Amino acid sequence: MPQFPDQVAHALLLPTNRVRVHFDVDVGGSYGVKRGIKHAVLAGYLSTRLRAPVKLIEDRAENMHGGDFHGPDRIFDVELACTREGDFTSIRIAVIDDEGAFPGRSPLQLAKPIGAIVGPYRIGSAAYAATAVTTNKTGQVAVRGFGQAPTNYAIESAVDAAARRLGLDRLAIRRRNFIRPDEFPYRIPSGTEYDSGDYPAVLDQAVALASAPGQPGVAGLAALERRRDELRAAGKLAGIGVATCLEPSGGNAIFENIMNPANDKTTFPEGCRLRVDADGEVTVIISISSAGQGHETMVAALAAAELGRDPDSVTVVRADSLTGMPSQSPVGSRMAIVLGEAVRGAAAELKRKLCRIGAHRLGVGPGQVEFAGGAVRDRAGRSVGWAELAAIALRQQHLMPPGEQPGLEVVHVAHTPRSGALAGPDAVVQIYPCYSFEAHLVLAGVDPETGLVNLDRYYLAHDCGTVINPDMVRGMVFGGTAHGIGVALYEQFAYSDEGQPLTQSFLDYLLPSAHEVPEIIDGEHCTPSPFTTLGQKGAGEAGYMGAPAAVASAVNDALAGCGAGPVLSLPIKPADVLQALQRATGDRS
């Protein structure tokens, strides 16, 4: 929740330096539900009136029906123009979004897709019209991806429809229209520029992952098709789904200016403090809440790489909102990008100071030394080691350069790359600095008697540029994919025609469990971004960006095999599958 301390302070009419928010507690996950403003304000107001601590507690029903809990509820109208050969020429997207009551920042999600409105495709022109409406439903909140995943689903559904209409292979029509690797940086019709990518290579990797063990000579798509045919021979409907989607990353919130020109905020900074003690131990202080993204691991790895230290020796701690540096929270897959730049900037400043200290100790000018491997070396090969540099800075003033401030502690605040400009008169602006890419291949089996969908195979290739921590990225990909499977097949806040909520508890709200999420075979490709410190892009919304579209594509391919479908709404429930089959056969029983 960006600006949470400021919003609480303003609502309670308190000076901002009288509100302290603590970030040193893991909150246990964050797939959305960026909530708490109204609750903090209520508890804070009562506490000031009663002059006593106040705790606000709600039960599950209150949380689900009286909070700001729902995800996107959007109706898309998409037209994709293309030639008979399958070349995309233009796209038109109109969307109506049910925001519920008192939705807060949720309507801003409709602006984010402007920055990726053509997906990974060469489409010469685009029209986008978004309408937000309020209703008596529970309010909508930002869900993982902040509005991009539903738009990816709409675009991919249109691409599948074009392939069906033209009788073309769904993978071939995508390859035909992908932005080519040599075209980056690539400017899309809305004015945003994609940084880098090799979309054909990532799709090829996903296909290669589908090679079946124990089937010599059967590789890639042929192996997946053989397994599909086995399911069909066993009496199931079966289909292969594909989705190729972008993940905008490095959020800078400039889309707020697009929607409201009076909002002239152009920076979304992130800061860190880097400290070395007299024994040479490194501590990094950051100011963001954690929902399991592994910030400590990432920051330690980056700081250690810059300073030539062992990552296990670097301690990462979290400051609170009054003692820490500026932070806008982890939203928008931005930590590796923006916090990574803050770490690099702090390390660069620290190394410059270490070079001045080392040069003075060696009796040469600062320009005659360099920092490498944790030591300062001159051109003659002499060096001052890490431990001695730390001791001089904090214990041995007599060895310090004249006028040099004692200590080794620096603060660096980084802007989002490619940010800092307001939208022009035509609303053109660089909305996100980086664009990750993912390709999904899914095999779904469908029981024709019950309409139940089972995901038999799942392959995913992913490109987020330079990977800092592979395990963390894989965790993001797997968790996001499981989340997307839930969106595609299970999760829904249902209402009666009279507007009464039917989803009373988690007994009524279905979530995918380990039984519904198949083994995910994944691979990582790398096209570095030219605009970040190490070429990294975001991965916090990975998996979720394409999973709903890919699962829907697989189910609809299964239905198409018997002349039914497609189903064009999510989640695809067993009843939806059975109704599609009945419409195809004319059976109304």
Side-chain angles (χ1 to χ4, degrees):
M1 167 85 60
Q3 299 98 42
F4 181 87
D6 295 349
Q7 292 184 55
V8 171
H10 296 162
L12 294 173
L13 302 180
L14 292 171
T16 50
N17 64 356
R18 297 292 300 277
V19 172
R20 187 190 305 267
V21 177
H22 297 273
F23 300 134
D24 57 347
V25 177
D26 288 332
V27 301
S30 174
Y31 291 92
V33 197
K34 310 293 194 298
R35 63 197 306 263
I37 287 291
K38 64 172 72 79
H39 303 79
V41 170
L42 284 169
Y45 175 75
L46 292 173
S47 182
T48 58
R49 291 296 302 268
L50 299 173
R51 297 186 179 276
V54 171
K55 179 183 289 186
L56 190 151
I57 302 173
E58 62 183 5
D59 62 22
R60 178 63 66 188
E62 290 172 323
N63 178 261
M64 295 177 81
H65 302 141
D68 41 1
F69 197 83
H70 287 193
D73 188 2
R74 295 183 192 163
I75 300 172
F76 287 91
D77 182 4
V78 184
E79 290 181 281
L80 177 61
C82 52
T83 66
R84 294 184 183 276
E85 293 72 30
D87 295 318
F88 302 158
T89 59
S90 185
I91 191 168
R92 184 189 69 80
I93 300 176
V95 57
I96 297 177
D97 196 21
D98 184 342
E99 307 290 344
F102 311 108
R105 291 170 53 86
S106 182
L108 296 172
Q109 295 185 86
L110 292 171
K112 177 176 177 176
I114 295 171
I117 199 62
V118 296
Y121 307 111
R122 284 179 285 107
I123 302 179
S125 64
Y128 177 65
T131 303
V133 298
T134 55
T135 66
N136 66 336
K137 294 181 180 179
T138 301
Q140 188 185 141
V141 293
V143 176
R144 190 178 200 153
F146 202 68
Q148 187 64 47
T151 307
N152 287 348
Y153 164 68
I155 294 171
E156 291 300 285
S157 297
V159 172
D160 277 3
R164 286 194 299 270
R165 178 70 64 86
L166 297 171
L168 298 175
D169 177 80
R170 287 170 296 155
L171 273 66
I173 198 172
R174 285 170 167 83
R175 288 191 176 100
R176 184 182 185 95
N177 287 281
F178 277 154
I179 298 164
R180 294 185 294 270
D182 60 358
E183 294 180 295
F184 291 97
Y186 184 86
R187 184 182 175 95
I188 67 172
S190 63
T192 283
E193 194 176 70
Y194 296 166
D195 56 333
S196 65
D198 190 342
Y199 306 154
V202 177
L203 180 56
D204 289 345
Q205 185 178 24
V207 171
L209 290 171
S211 297
Q215 297 187 34
V218 180
L221 200 59
L224 202 58
E225 290 170 342
R226 175 178 291 187
R227 175 58 183 165
R228 178 200 62 194
D229 294 342
E230 291 174 355
L231 292 174
R232 289 177 175 175
K236 301 288 186 182
L237 306 179
I240 296 171
V242 58
T244 51
C245 300
L246 294 177
E247 176 187 357
S249 54
N252 59 20
I254 192 62
F255 45 74
E256 297 182 26
N257 175 245
I258 294 174
M259 297 190 79
N260 178 15
N263 188 329
D264 61 354
K265 179 173 60 181
T266 57
T267 188
F268 220 46
E270 207 64 46
C272 82
R273 176 179 283 115
L274 185 57
R275 176 187 299 158
V276 181
D277 63 26
D279 288 344
E281 303 298 342
V282 178
T283 302
V284 187
I285 300 96
I286 58 178
S287 306
I288 52 173
S289 60
S290 175
Q293 299 98 326
H295 299 140
E296 288 87 351
T297 305
M298 179 194 75
V299 169
L302 291 173
E306 291 285 346
L307 299 175
R309 314 308 298 156
D310 181 353
D312 290 339
S313 72
V314 177
T315 295
V316 180
V317 297
R318 297 176 187 274
D320 59 54
S321 64
L322 291 185
T323 60
M325 294 63 60
S327 174
Q328 299 296 322
S329 86
V331 298
S333 295
R334 59 192 303 274
M335 287 297 97
I337 296 169
V338 191
L339 183 58
E341 169 60 25
V343 172
R344 187 209 62 82
E349 186 175 340
L350 182 68
K351 288 188 286 187
R352 286 192 291 269
K353 183 170 185 176
L354 291 170
C355 283
R356 294 194 298 270
I357 294 172
H360 183 72
R361 185 77 175 103
L362 294 170
V364 298
Q368 296 177 287
V369 299
E370 66 174 0
F371 183 91
V376 173
R377 293 181 171 85
D378 68 6
R379 295 170 183 171
R382 299 178 301 161
S383 66
V384 183
W386 180 264
E388 185 178 0
L389 291 166
I392 292 172
L394 288 131
R395 292 175 175 154
Q396 299 169 330
Q397 181 181 350
H398 61 287
L399 298 179
M400 286 282 280
E404 188 72 54
Q405 184 177 355
L408 292 174
E409 184 169 340
V410 296
V411 174
H412 188 85
V413 179
H415 292 296
T416 304
R418 311 176 81 188
S419 66
L422 290 170
D426 54 359
V428 169
V429 70
Q430 185 69 38
I431 296 183
Y432 275 68
C434 305
Y435 289 82
S436 300
F437 177 74
E438 56 194 57
H440 299 241
L441 276 178
V442 185
L443 174 61
V446 181
D447 188 324
E449 299 297 325
T450 65
L452 190 66
V453 176
N454 175 66
L455 301 182
D456 188 81
R457 298 285 190 274
Y458 207 115
Y459 304 99
L460 193 159
H462 181 255
D463 179 6
C464 62
T466 303
V467 174
I468 296 171
N469 187 301
D471 289 338
M472 289 296 176
V473 170
R474 293 186 82 230
M476 296 290 189
V477 169
F478 289 175
T481 301
H483 186 189
I485 291 170
V487 169
L489 299 176
Y490 305 108
E491 300 185 43
Q492 183 182 34
F493 281 98
Y495 286 80
S496 71
D497 292 339
E498 293 75 32
Q500 292 299 313
L502 301 177
T503 314
Q504 299 292 330
S505 71
F506 278 144
L507 290 175
D508 309 305
Y509 186 91
L510 294 181
L511 290 164
S513 71
H515 296 287
E516 287 75 41
V517 178
E519 179 185 10
I520 301 167
I521 308 299
D522 70 309
E524 192 69 37
H525 188 80
C526 178
T527 52
S529 173
F531 303 111
T532 60
T533 53
L534 301 172
Q536 70 270 33
K537 306 176 187 179
E541 295 156 359
Y544 180 68
M545 283 295 173
V551 172
S553 176
V555 174
N556 285 326
D557 187 50
L559 291 172
C562 60
V567 178
L568 296 176
S569 63
L570 302 181
I572 300 176
K573 300 181 288 294
D576 299 324
V577 173
L578 293 177
Q579 288 173 6
L581 293 173
Q582 290 166 0
R583 284 193 295 268
T585 60
D587 182 2
R588 296 291 184 261
S589 59

